[in-house]
Amino acid sequence: MLLHQLEVFTHVAERCNFSKAAEALFLSQSTVSSHIKNLEAHFGQKLFDRLGKEVVLTPFGKKLYPWAREMLMLKDKVLWEIKDWTGKVDGILSIIASAVPAQYAIPFLLSQFLKKYNGVKFSLEQGGSETVAEKLLKGEAEIGLLGEQYHQDQLTFIPFVEEKLVLITPLDLELHNGISISEIVKYPFLFRKSNSGTQAHVEKMLSMAGIKLSQLQVAGYFGNMEALKASVREGIGISIISSIAVLDWVNNKYIHAYELAELPEKRMFYFAHHKQRTLSPLAEAFIHFSLQLAGEFSDRYRINI
């Protein structure tokens, strides 16, 4: 029971929030609160102070936290090492991913991983690539999958798969492959929001082509990729987006997709984790397993235009 209470304690400490910890652990908030109270009673010390909606570690809590992490890591290693004898693998994979990996790569990878380790649970959160990196730094997730390398001094990045960005247009706007950005500046553009890895890559490409965003007719920014694609389909504008995300839409003839002359190279999606935090055996196994499936995933989402 003490190990479970310590696990609850570390999740609250890393998220500074009881409800977020409860969600990550598949527990009710009242259960999390009860575990923390019992742990405080066990040590005879207060573990958290409340500051508005957040909680922060007390001096005793700060002292306990690294030891709790070490004990839980040792527990995970022991259980992983004896899995061949016990036939049991469980635990929670804590994953955060940017839009394209969260909606396409992670579901594919989890479906295969859970066939092998069906006792595993997972927590998946979606955010822009910059948000993914920041939450990994804060310890709010153990594994990230994203399209830009933010905070390279503090995060480890492992290449997963390549993808290309494509120009998408409504069906009544027919262009040609290899078209240049200079040929389409007259059309209204729809973009992802600035914390998106896709948007960061697009802006780099425009800069290399000597084109400023101010030269384009930007009609709107989207936090949701599906809403952006639907807006292109309805003729509100054109956009530059992940080829993975538009494969079904192109095959179903909802929109057109074209290669751009300024985007000859592909971009990479990366697994990421904090350099100073040892990965759990479960997280290591998931990354290793996923890398073996990279080719199959790429083949499934290859677009022919």
Side-chain angles (χ1 to χ4, degrees):
M1 178 59 77
L2 180 61
L3 282 175
H4 184 55
Q5 290 171 349
L6 288 173
E7 184 176 17
V8 172
F9 162 70
T10 59
H11 275 268
V12 175
E14 289 160 2
R15 289 160 177 79
C16 301
N17 187 284
F18 277 66
S19 61
K20 289 181 180 179
E23 183 178 328
L25 289 164
F26 295 83
L27 298 173
S28 67
Q29 186 171 336
S30 61
T31 300
V32 168
S33 297
S34 177
H35 281 310
I36 296 301
K37 286 180 181 178
N38 290 337
L39 197 59
E40 288 177 331
H42 176 83
F43 289 113
Q45 296 285 338
K46 191 176 181 182
L47 297 173
F48 295 100
D49 287 323
R50 290 191 177 275
L51 295 178
K53 293 183 179 180
E54 291 192 339
V55 294
V56 295
L57 288 168
T58 62
F60 180 81
K62 290 179 181 178
K63 187 74 173 178
L64 176 63
Y65 175 76
W67 291 105
R69 286 279 308 167
E70 189 167 330
M71 290 174 68
L72 293 169
M73 186 61 66
L74 180 59
K75 179 207 72 170
D76 289 342
K77 287 181 178 178
V78 170
L79 292 177
W80 188 262
E81 288 298 323
I82 64 173
K83 69 181 185 302
D84 292 336
W85 283 268
T86 63
K88 182 180 179 182
V89 174
D90 56 18
I92 300 174
L93 276 170
S94 177
I95 308 168
I96 183 167
S98 56
V100 174
Q103 294 178 33
Y104 299 93
I106 296 297
F108 168 76
L109 297 171
L110 281 174
S111 70
Q112 304 303 310
F113 189 74
L114 295 178
K115 289 176 183 176
K116 185 173 183 180
Y117 303 116
N118 58 14
V120 172
K121 296 180 180 179
F122 64 90
S123 170
L124 173 60
E125 185 177 351
Q126 179 179 319
S129 288
E130 191 170 3
T131 300
V132 171
E134 289 171 354
K135 293 206 170 190
L136 288 173
L137 291 178
K138 292 177 182 177
E140 294 185 20
E142 188 173 15
I143 304 170
L145 188 54
L146 66 168
E148 287 290 320
Q149 297 186 64
Y150 294 101
H151 304 293
Q152 294 183 53
D153 58 328
Q154 299 176 74
L155 297 176
T156 295
F157 290 90
I158 305 166
F160 173 50
V161 293
E162 288 183 321
E163 68 138 12
K164 61 183 177 182
L165 299 180
V166 293
L167 172 71
I168 58 172
T169 71
L171 291 179
D172 61 2
L173 178 56
E174 294 190 7
L175 302 173
H176 60 86
N177 273 329
I179 192 169
S180 172
I181 287 286
S182 61
E183 298 178 67
I184 55 175
V185 292
K186 60 184 178 182
Y187 299 109
F189 270 81
L190 307 177
F191 285 127
R192 297 289 308 284
K193 288 192 173 179
S194 59
N195 68 344
S196 156
T198 298
Q199 183 63 17
H201 197 73
V202 168
E203 290 181 12
K204 285 180 187 177
M205 176 270 295
L206 291 173
S207 177
M208 291 174 63
I211 296 172
K212 298 178 181 178
L213 277 179
S214 58
Q215 294 176 255
L216 303 178
Q217 299 181 46
V218 181
Y221 289 91
F222 291 78
N224 182 283
M225 187 164 52
E226 296 303 305
L228 186 153
K229 291 187 293 186
S231 296
V232 170
R233 180 185 61 191
E234 297 302 325
I236 296 175
I238 63 176
S239 188
I240 300 170
I241 194 172
S242 160
S243 60
I244 293 172
V246 300
L247 176 64
D248 289 343
W249 285 59
V250 172
N251 288 343
N252 289 324
K253 296 182 168 49
Y254 295 147
I255 55 176
H256 292 307
Y258 302 98
E259 293 181 344
L260 281 164
E262 289 85 356
L263 280 174
E265 297 181 358
K266 297 180 179 179
R267 73 160 180 166
M268 182 68 70
F269 283 120
Y270 303 89
F271 278 105
H273 62 86
H274 201 300
K275 285 184 176 180
Q276 296 182 349
R277 297 189 66 173
T278 303
L279 281 177
S280 66
L282 183 59
E284 283 187 341
F286 179 71
I287 292 175
H288 179 71
F289 184 89
S290 298
L291 295 178
Q292 293 179 317
L293 291 177
E296 185 178 342
F297 175 77
S298 295
D299 290 342
R300 174 179 287 202
Y301 284 96
R302 181 172 289 112
I303 189 169
N304 296 312
I305 54 177

